[in-house]
């Protein structure tokens, strides 16, 4: 019985495309064809080439690429910019092109019955030549425009997919679709390669381009559902960002790390947890960057490596501010204890920011990571994209067992919350609120530890001041209420005594 | 030397291949009465030749001489169309 199970189960072939294999629960169904459908410009050809490229680079599996649309010479050239030297692979007998693209100036005349035997013979020949296990065909829709007889083409493509299966090939076939949400593909292509369907989308959302990949179905095999963002990186190709994959398997540690501020250390019951995410929310100029600076300094003092992503200030500004509080970031960076990455949020889409941050973290391997401010990235994305990004980066940092401090700028000066808080308040372990407090015609600053998972913490809203030595946290505001809502009320000292009396045992 | 030089690409000895060959012979011999050179290529035996000429469909008839180069796909059962496409007024 067990033997039957093993034979019946659909085996998977690892594609080697970053993120796709976890989305596909291991890879594409082995010895089957997968239809990749997408509108024009949705990176179908890139995916089809990358499927073969990763096979060669990672698994030493040969690949055959059948092109119906672009001439082979164009594909060779276009893929060089992604870092794939197809010509070299062809010379090494690992990659073979079947150029079935329309020849310039050639006028094909049809007289009587025919089949696609020529194509089939060429594919078989190439498969033997490079000892291929992977085949990509790009795109099936183009052959319908080349030879108008769709009944014949359908019959022949059916024969072709069957032949590929007989030859034990795992294949990708691309097809064109006209709308992002609608029919799977033009010319009813899905009718003969319908076992497995992947859809690529290139969406315009709020004036921003967003690429997503969705596995629509894998017959007889499991996969993750829904659309996942992906990006194309020069030198690497497609990188899918699977969110569900990295979620909720975080370990948690009871080791405390110094917050960088002795008073805050006391408020948090002895410091933050080692692999926790801390969200610092506050209005502009309220001391968020200072808290980040102290957090980093606290790490460096304990011999930890720290990484700072700055999306609001330039390197010079940051270093100048830090030196104003007597921290020499330039020296720390030259000693390799600190790395500061300053990027303007608008230079890239969120997916690209995510990949860059992830790569930087993996190369530098920091113990502490600070992002100042996370909310600046809201500007370059849609709300949905931003939410996915925040969840992705949070899970990633936790997975790497580092402490992360994110800052979030509230849109209003008094009180208020931001989108960032709404998105990540449940996945952060600690939330610290910094608020302006208007008191007797004066702006004062208040701080509170709103939540801290797994630890006792100070519940007071404390006043703090900033001077040349950094942040000083003082006494709680006793005679006012409504700080967090932004509508401050002063209460008399007798009322304070009465209320505190209520809770005395 | 024959003025008409043709190549016919077929996959094996199928009924379709045979039909294409006999249709072609009939057209040239009965309608054109011209000397010709015909090379029949079975791509199952010689796949590289299919690759060289980028053959997709079979049968495919390739007219090499006289110019212009022409490609006709199918078993050549539509005689009028074949004659028209071969463009052999000059012979």
């Amino acid at each position: 019985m067990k033997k039957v199970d093993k034979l019946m189960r659909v085996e998977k072939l690892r594609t080697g495309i970053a993120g796709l294999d976890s989305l596909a629960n291991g890879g594409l169904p082995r010895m089957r064809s997968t239809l990749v459908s997408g509108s024009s410009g949705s990176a179908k050809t890139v995916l089809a080439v990358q499927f073969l490229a990763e096979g060669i680079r990672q698994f030493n599996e040969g690949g055959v690429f059948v092109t119906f649309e672009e001439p082979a010479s164009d594909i060779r050239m276009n893929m060089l910019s992604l870092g794939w030297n197809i010509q070299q692979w062809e010379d090494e007998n690992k990659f073979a092109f079947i150029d079935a693209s329309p020849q310039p100036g050639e006028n094909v005349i049809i007289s009587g019955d025919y089949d696609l035997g020529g194509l089939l013979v060429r594919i078989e020949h190439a498969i033997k030549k490079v000892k291929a296990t992977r085949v990509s065909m790009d795109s099936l829709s183009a052959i319908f425009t080349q030879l108008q007889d769709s009944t014949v083409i359908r019959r022949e493509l059916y024969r072709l997919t069957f032949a590929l299966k007989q030859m034990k090939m795992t294949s990708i076939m691309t097809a064109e679709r006209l709308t992002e949400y609608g029919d799977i593909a033009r010319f009813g292509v899905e009718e003969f390669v319908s076992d497995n369907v992947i859809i690529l989308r290139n969406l315009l959302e709020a004036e921003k381009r967003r690429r997503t990949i969705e596995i629509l179905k894998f017959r007889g095999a499991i996969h993750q559902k829904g659309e996942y963002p992906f990006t194309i990186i020069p030198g690497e190709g497609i990188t899918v960002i699977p969110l569900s994959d990295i979620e909720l398997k975080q370990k948690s540690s009871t080791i405390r790390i110094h917050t960088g501020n002795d008073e805050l250390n006391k408020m948090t019951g002895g410091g933050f947890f080692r692999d926790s995410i801390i969200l610092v929310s506050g209005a502009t100029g309220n001391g968020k960057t200072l808290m980040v600076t102290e957090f980093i300094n606290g790490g460096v003092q304990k011999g930890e490596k720290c990484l700072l992503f700055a999306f609001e200030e330039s390197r010079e500004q940051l270093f100048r501010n830090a030196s104003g509080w007597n921290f020499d970031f330039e020296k720390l960076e030259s000693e390799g204890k600190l790395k500061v990455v300053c990027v303007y949020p608008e230079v890239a889409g969120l997916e690209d920011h995510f990949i860059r941050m992830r790569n930087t973290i993996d190369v530098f391997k920091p113990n502490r990571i600070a992002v100042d401010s996370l909310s600046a990235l809201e500007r370059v994305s849609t709300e949905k994209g931003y939410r996915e990004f925040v969840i992705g980066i949070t899970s990633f940092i936790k997975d790497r067992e580092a402490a992360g401090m994110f800052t979030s700028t509230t849109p209003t000066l008094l009180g208020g919350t931001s989108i960032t808080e709404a998105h990540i308040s449940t996945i952060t372990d600690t939330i610290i609120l910094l608020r302006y407090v208007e008191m007797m015609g004066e702006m004062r600053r208040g701080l509170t530890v709103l939540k801290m998972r797994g630890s006792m913490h100070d519940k007071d809203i404390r006043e703090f001041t900033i001077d040349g030595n950094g942040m000083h946290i003082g006494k709680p505001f006793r005679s006012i209420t409504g700080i967090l809502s932004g509508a401050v009320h002063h209460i008399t000292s007798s009322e304070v005594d009465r209320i505190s009396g209520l809770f005395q045992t | 030397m024959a003025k008409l030089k043709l190549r016919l690409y077929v996959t094996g000895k199928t009924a379709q291949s045979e039909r294409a060959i006999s249709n072609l012979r009939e057209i040239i011999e009965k309608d054109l009465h011209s000397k010709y050179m015909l090379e029949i290529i079975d791509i199952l035996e010689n796949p590289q030749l299919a690759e060289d000429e980028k053959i997709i469909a079979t049968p495919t008839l390739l007219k090499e001489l006289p110019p212009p180069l022409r490609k006709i796909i199918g078993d050549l059962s539509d005689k009028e169309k074949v004659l028209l496409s071969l463009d052999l007024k000059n012979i």
Side-chain angles (χ1 to χ4, degrees):
Chain A
M1 197 60 205
K2 262 186 178 168
K3 205 174 179 184
V4 174
D5 280 350
K6 206 181 170 193
L7 283 172
M8 297 290 281
R9 208 180 53 222
V10 175
E11 271 186 73
K12 297 278 183 74
L13 174 96
R14 276 182 66 198
T15 61
I17 298 171
L20 180 61
D21 290 332
S22 56
L23 201 63
N25 282 42
L28 296 183
R30 193 188 286 273
M31 296 181 219
R32 293 189 177 201
S33 299
T34 300
L35 181 72
V36 174
S37 189
S39 59
S40 158
S42 62
K44 296 186 295 291
T45 307
V46 175
L47 183 73
V49 176
Q50 193 173 356
F51 173 60
L52 304 187
E54 302 299 351
I56 293 168
R57 295 200 301 188
Q58 298 182 33
F59 310 106
N60 200 24
E61 294 178 16
V64 172
F65 194 94
V66 186
T67 172
F68 293 110
E69 208 161 11
E70 286 177 88
S73 54
D74 283 10
I75 295 176
R76 273 188 207 106
M77 204 165 71
N78 296 342
M79 296 304 151
L80 267 182
S81 67
L82 287 167
W84 302 326
N85 191 344
I86 297 178
Q87 184 70 61
Q88 189 194 326
W89 294 330
E90 283 177 287
D91 296 342
E92 292 166 2
N93 242 343
K94 292 174 180 165
F95 191 110
F97 263 117
I98 302 289
D99 194 338
S101 62
Q103 303 299 304
E106 190 183 86
N107 186 14
V108 178
I109 299 123
I110 296 165
S111 163
D113 294 341
Y114 63 93
D115 55 37
L116 296 182
L119 184 66
L120 199 58
V121 168
R122 285 167 69 190
I123 293 176
E124 277 179 39
H125 179 59
I127 286 172
K128 276 185 204 131
K129 200 172 90 183
V130 301
K131 297 183 183 65
T133 49
R134 302 178 179 213
V135 175
S136 281
M137 301 179 70
D138 181 54
S139 84
L140 296 189
S141 313
I143 198 166
F144 281 88
T145 38
Q146 236 187 92
L147 308 164
Q148 275 109 20
D149 196 344
S150 56
T151 354
V152 175
I153 298 168
R154 246 177 236 148
R155 182 194 72 208
E156 288 303 304
L157 287 179
Y158 190 81
R159 195 162 74 115
L160 184 62
T161 50
F162 185 75
L164 287 175
K165 205 181 243 178
Q166 295 293 99
M167 289 185 277
K168 297 186 163 63
M169 292 296 121
T170 307
S171 60
I172 279 187
M173 302 186 177
T174 70
E176 183 106 4
R177 68 204 300 249
L178 298 174
T179 52
E180 295 298 358
Y181 296 93
D183 290 346
I184 290 176
R186 283 175 77 183
F187 307 110
V189 170
E190 73 276 10
E191 285 167 27
F192 47 82
V193 267
S194 59
D195 282 357
N196 314 296
V197 179
I198 290 178
I199 295 196
L200 300 178
R201 291 191 179 89
N202 184 10
L203 305 160
L204 190 63
E205 277 177 11
E207 298 180 7
K208 279 153 196 138
R209 280 280 166 201
R210 194 174 121 83
R211 292 180 184 281
T212 66
I213 182 166
E214 178 189 8
I215 299 176
L216 194 67
K217 60 172 171 179
F218 273 179
R219 190 162 284 171
I222 46 166
H223 60 86
Q224 302 296 311
K225 287 163 189 71
E227 289 182 45
Y228 290 82
F230 74 88
T231 184
I232 300 169
I233 304 168
E236 289 178 37
I238 289 175
T239 301
V240 183
I241 304 166
L243 300 173
S244 57
D245 178 50
I246 37 183
E247 247 179 305
L248 293 175
K249 55 175 188 189
Q250 304 106 3
K251 300 161 212 102
S252 65
S253 149
T254 52
I255 301 165
R256 301 267 185 171
I257 58 168
H258 199 277
T259 62
N261 182 304
D262 290 336
E263 289 129 332
L264 185 61
N265 238 28
K266 277 180 218 146
M267 284 184 79
T268 53
F272 302 131
F273 287 117
R274 192 190 65 192
D275 40 15
S276 67
I277 300 289
I278 304 112
L279 177 68
V280 180
S281 149
T284 173
N286 206 339
K288 294 188 299 295
T289 303
L290 172 58
M291 186 165 269
V292 165
T293 310
E294 292 195 336
F295 173 68
I296 285 191
N297 188 62
V300 172
Q301 294 308 320
K302 301 278 179 208
E304 295 173 28
K305 281 171 87 177
C306 299
L307 176 60
L308 170 62
F309 293 103
F311 291 105
E312 281 180 347
E313 289 171 292
S314 71
R315 174 176 289 267
E316 285 70 26
Q317 273 176 309
L318 269 171
F319 286 10
R320 187 197 62 205
N321 294 348
S323 66
W325 295 308
N326 293 323
F327 302 132
D328 193 348
F329 273 14
E330 211 160 349
K331 183 164 163 275
L332 295 180
E333 200 170 33
S334 66
E335 289 167 359
K337 294 171 180 163
L338 170 71
K339 187 176 172 70
V340 179
V341 180
C342 295
V343 196
Y344 202 55
E346 274 78 6
V347 298
L350 261 195
E351 288 81 13
D352 294 311
H353 278 302
F354 178 78
I355 303 290
R356 280 184 203 173
M357 289 169 80
R358 213 173 66 170
N359 291 350
T360 313
I361 292 169
D362 271 347
V363 171
F364 189 66
K365 296 190 176 32
N367 305 97
R368 293 187 183 200
I369 298 153
V371 182
D372 186 33
S373 73
L374 192 64
S375 51
L377 292 169
E378 265 174 43
R379 297 203 298 264
V380 297
S381 170
T382 58
E383 202 177 317
K384 185 166 177 280
Y386 181 68
R387 186 171 58 229
E388 284 168 359
F389 165 78
V390 169
I391 294 170
I393 197 76
T394 311
S395 330
F396 181 76
I397 291 176
K398 286 190 149 220
D399 191 54
R400 291 297 182 272
E401 290 176 35
M405 180 180 272
F406 301 152
T407 67
S408 162
T409 308
T410 51
T412 50
L413 284 181
L414 294 165
T417 52
S418 67
I419 300 174
T420 311
E421 285 160 41
H423 288 338
I424 65 169
S425 52
T426 51
I427 48 175
T428 52
D429 304 286
T430 305
I431 298 179
I432 295 171
L433 301 182
L434 304 180
R435 291 288 184 265
Y436 283 114
V437 183
E438 187 194 335
M439 238 174 105
M440 310 294 180
E442 202 186 352
M443 273 301 195
R444 312 271 279 269
R445 290 181 165 101
L447 175 152
T448 187
V449 179
L450 189 68
K451 89 164 183 186
M452 190 168 172
R453 222 169 244 167
S455 171
M456 293 293 290
H457 61 91
D458 193 316
K459 270 90 175 171
D460 289 327
I461 302 177
R462 289 178 182 265
E463 179 168 8
F464 71 93
T465 55
I466 296 173
D467 65 17
N469 292 317
M471 181 181 279
H472 302 285
I473 301 168
K475 287 197 159 55
F477 290 100
R478 280 297 180 217
S479 58
I480 55 171
T481 63
I483 294 170
L484 295 184
S485 65
V488 176
H489 286 285
H490 293 264
I491 45 176
T492 56
S493 52
S494 61
E495 180 72 3
V496 176
D497 291 341
R498 197 184 67 79
I499 292 170
S500 12
L502 286 176
F503 292 100
Q504 265 164 18
T505 49
Chain B
M1 220 193 83
K3 281 181 189 166
L4 182 60
K5 198 172 168 194
L6 300 166
R7 258 186 281 164
L8 183 67
Y9 293 85
V10 293
T11 39
K13 289 183 172 48
T14 61
Q16 192 169 252
S17 307
E18 299 298 332
R19 218 162 44 236
I21 295 167
S22 67
N23 282 341
L24 180 63
R25 289 221 153 104
E26 198 181 300
I27 290 168
I28 303 168
E29 285 162 18
K30 286 198 179 156
D31 297 88
L32 291 171
H33 310 288
S34 72
K35 283 190 175 162
Y36 68 97
M37 206 174 106
L38 173 65
E39 193 183 350
I40 295 168
I41 295 162
D42 184 354
I43 58 170
L44 283 182
E45 286 165 16
N46 232 327
Q48 189 57 44
L49 294 177
E51 188 58 50
D52 295 343
E53 281 302 330
K54 301 196 191 316
I55 301 295
I56 299 171
T58 41
T60 291
L61 177 67
L62 198 80
K63 185 195 70 167
E64 244 180 308
L65 282 173
L69 194 83
R70 280 286 157 89
K71 232 179 205 179
I72 305 171
I73 290 172
D75 64 7
L76 312 173
S77 51
D78 188 340
K79 205 166 80 178
E80 293 302 315
K81 213 168 175 181
V82 176
L83 280 170
L84 210 68
S85 325
L86 282 176
D87 197 10
L88 296 171
K89 295 182 286 283
N90 312 328
I91 296 181

